[in-house]
Amino acid sequence: MKSLVLYLPGVLLVYGALFAAASPQTFTGTITDDMCAKAGHSQMRMGPTDAECTLACVDVHGASYVLYDGKDVYMLSDQRMPEKFAGQKVKVTGTLDAKTKTIQVNSITGTK
């Protein structure tokens, strides 16, 4: 029993760090697809606008929706919600898995 009491503070610190690391964050960027994220849509020409090209790349080529912040590309766990924001600047709230650069999406809202 005495040894359990000695380890308890360490265990609580580890669990506390895990919960703190998993708290939702807000990311700002553009909803695009993983084929055109950094290169832009001008090369693909799948539609006259970035939104139409994003939708076509996902529909026709099997691309995935991603968030591009101008520097990094983040995969999105939810592939339905981003469709209505294709080509738009948004705020994505969710939890980031840094290893896979995937955001576990809680919500997406448009920005102006």
Side-chain angles (χ1 to χ4, degrees):
M1 183 71 164
K2 184 177 178 183
S3 61
L4 178 62
V5 172
L6 292 174
Y7 290 110
L8 188 58
V11 170
L12 291 176
L13 282 174
V14 170
Y15 280 115
L18 289 174
F19 284 116
S23 62
Q25 300 172 268
T26 300
F27 304 86
T28 303
T30 302
I31 297 293
T32 185
D33 61 273
D34 60 347
M35 293 177 69
C36 299
K38 289 188 175 181
H41 294 281
S42 60
Q43 293 179 350
M44 290 294 285
R45 295 188 203 124
M46 294 292 294
T49 67
D50 287 348
E52 289 179 25
C53 188
T54 297
L55 294 169
C57 286
V58 170
D59 187 46
V60 176
H61 295 291
S64 297
Y65 291 109
V66 297
L67 179 73
Y68 179 57
D69 68 2
K71 179 182 166 195
D72 294 310
V73 177
Y74 299 98
M75 295 299 295
L76 300 171
S77 66
D78 184 325
Q79 289 292 298
R80 292 184 195 165
M81 199 182 314
E83 182 177 10
K84 66 181 176 183
F85 296 103
Q88 296 179 37
K89 193 155 176 93
V90 297
K91 287 184 181 180
V92 175
T93 302
T95 306
L96 176 64
D97 179 334
K99 284 184 182 179
T100 63
K101 290 189 98 173
T102 300
I103 300 171
Q104 184 67 35
V105 178
N106 293 346
S107 67
I108 301 175
T109 56
T111 64
K112 293 183 181 190

